[in-house]
């Protein structure tokens, strides 16, 4: 492992009265791609939301360091400016704000500098081509009237444009057909070309992972990481599902 970028230690998280995460520990090095897998309801999305500072979740124990700093002491805006990015499972619609204006504003807020329009337009059209998106999408209101696949592509467009230090992709392949998964996967591959870009891919499927380089896989069951391994775990899960891990956890509790 290279330089440690994200270090999670014994993380406990609650939502209202429910304990969601139990003693989760995870370390991700800069430039690495990690995959967090597990059945529905395991707490995978909770971890992504906690990393971005969603106030619906309350950290009751443990610590999170990002780039050597205490992440839990930072608000959402500070985390975004530090280079964290979350691709939402269900992207929201934002009437009155075009996709291109949203991305440009985000870029300027993070850098603190104005961006030349011609440079921005050139880059966004290059990124649209990677995702097979018509250039007209840049001028449409953010996600308004977009299909599920188009919303996911718009999220990956933001990933390519913003080039975050650390990107969390939450169920990005959910609800997509085979062709859309390939397109989204191609966008993620493009992001991976930047060796400084770090990924945490949250999923219960293996489709989006087929063409990607993966450094490590973590299996989450009922809020606990029950196994850590290399990309070989993906093939096992693709063939057998999560049965072994569910049985293993039941045996440990019994």
């Amino acid at each position: 492992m290279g330089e440690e970028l994200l270090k999670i230690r014994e993380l406990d998280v609650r939502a209202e009265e429910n304990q969601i995460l139990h003693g989760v520990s995870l370390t991700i090095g800069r430039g690495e791609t990690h995959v967090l897998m597990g059945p529905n309801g395991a707490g995978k999305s909770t971890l992504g939301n906690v990393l971005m500072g969603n106030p619906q979740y309350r950290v009751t124990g443990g610590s999170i360091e990002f780039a050597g700093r205490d992440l839990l002491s930072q608000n959402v805006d500070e985390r975004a400016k530090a280079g964290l990015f979350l691709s939402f499972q269900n992207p929201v619609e934002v009437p009155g704000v075009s996709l291109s204006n949203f991305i440009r504003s985000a870029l300027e807020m993070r850098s603190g500098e104005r961006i030349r329009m011609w440079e921005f337009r050139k880059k966004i059209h290059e990124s649209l081509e990677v995702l097979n998106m018509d250039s007209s999408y840049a001028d449409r209101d953010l996600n308004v009237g977009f299909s599920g696949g188009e919303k996911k592509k718009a999220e990956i467009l933001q990933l390519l444009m913003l080039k975050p230090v650390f990107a969390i992709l939450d169920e990005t392949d959910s609800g997509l057909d085979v062709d859309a998964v390939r397109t989204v996967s191609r966008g993620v591959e493009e992001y991976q070309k930047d060796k400084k870009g770090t990924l945490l891919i949250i999923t219960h499927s293996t489709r989006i992972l087929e063409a990607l380089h993966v450094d490590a896989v973590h299996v989450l069951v009922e809020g606990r990481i029950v196994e850590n391994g290399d990309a070989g775990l993906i093939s096992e899960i693709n063939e057998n599902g999560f049965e072994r891990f569910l049985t293993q956890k039941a045996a440990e509790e019994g």
Side-chain angles (χ1 to χ4, degrees), residues 79-150:
R79 298 181 197 203
K81 287 182 178 179
L84 270 75
F85 171 93
L86 173 63
S87 170
F88 293 100
Q89 187 172 346
N90 298 300
V92 298
E93 298 183 359
V94 185
V97 178
S98 71
L99 176 57
S100 62
N101 283 343
F102 176 80
I103 294 174
R104 189 179 180 206
S105 294
L107 281 167
E108 290 180 342
M109 288 182 66
R110 205 173 87 182
S111 67
E113 299 177 356
R114 296 286 293 174
I115 298 174
R116 294 180 181 178
M117 179 58 75
W118 69 269
E119 291 179 348
F120 175 78
R121 300 296 291 186
K122 179 176 181 292
K123 178 58 180 176
I124 197 169
H125 285 296
E126 289 174 352
S127 298
L128 285 164
E129 287 182 4
V130 171
L131 298 171
N132 290 330
M133 296 179 73
D134 189 272
S135 60
S136 63
Y137 278 97
D139 299 315
R140 290 176 58 181
D141 286 0
L142 178 61
N143 292 326
V144 176
F146 286 24
S147 68
E150 289 166 344

Side-chain angles (χ1 to χ4, degrees), residues 18-208:
N18 299 316
Q19 185 83 23
I20 309 297
L21 298 180
H22 308 264
V24 170
S25 294
L26 183 64
T27 300
I28 300 178
R30 190 178 296 273
E32 295 181 345
T33 295
H34 287 229
V35 177
L36 182 65
M37 304 190 72
N40 289 330
K44 303 184 301 297
S45 294
T46 294
L47 181 59
N49 278 281
V50 168
L51 290 173
M52 286 305 302
N54 188 326
Q56 292 182 359
Y57 301 93
R58 182 163 54 94
V59 175
T60 57
S63 63
I64 307 176
E65 289 184 13
F66 180 72
R69 297 181 62 187
D70 176 18
L71 189 69
L72 296 177
S73 67
Q74 300 179 32
N75 61 35
V76 176
D77 183 60
E78 290 171 326
R79 298 181 197 203
K81 287 182 178 179
L84 270 75
F85 171 93
L86 173 63
S87 170
F88 293 100
Q89 187 172 346
N90 298 300
V92 298
E93 298 183 359
V94 185
V97 178
S98 71
L99 176 57
S100 62
N101 283 343
F102 176 80
I103 294 174
R104 189 179 180 206
S105 294
L107 281 167
E108 290 180 342
M109 288 182 66
R110 205 173 87 182
S111 67
E113 299 177 356
R114 296 286 293 174
I115 298 174
R116 294 180 181 178
M117 179 58 75
W118 69 269
E119 291 179 348
F120 175 78
R121 300 296 291 186
K122 179 176 181 292
K123 178 58 180 176
I124 197 169
H125 285 296
E126 289 174 352
S127 298
L128 285 164
E129 287 182 4
V130 171
L131 298 171
N132 290 330
M133 296 179 73
D134 189 272
S135 60
S136 63
Y137 278 97
D139 299 315
R140 290 176 58 181
D141 286 0
L142 178 61
N143 292 326
V144 176
F146 286 24
S147 68
E150 289 166 344
K151 288 181 179 180
K152 297 300 180 71
K153 288 180 183 179
E155 293 280 287
I156 301 303
L157 177 66
Q158 295 169 47
L159 174 71
L160 294 178
M161 291 294 295
L162 295 172
K163 295 186 181 300
V165 175
F166 183 81
I168 307 156
L169 305 185
D170 186 9
E171 303 284 3
T172 302
D173 55 345
S174 176
L176 301 184
D177 61 29
V178 174
D179 289 335
V181 169
R182 287 182 184 141
T183 300
V184 167
S185 181
R186 186 161 59 246
V188 177
E189 280 187 278
E190 190 69 23
Y191 171 78
Q192 281 186 319
K193 290 180 181 178
D194 183 354
K195 299 302 183 183
K196 295 180 181 179
T198 308
L199 274 168
L200 176 61
I201 301 175
I202 299 171
T203 184
H204 65 270
S205 172
T206 61
R207 295 188 304 165
I208 195 174

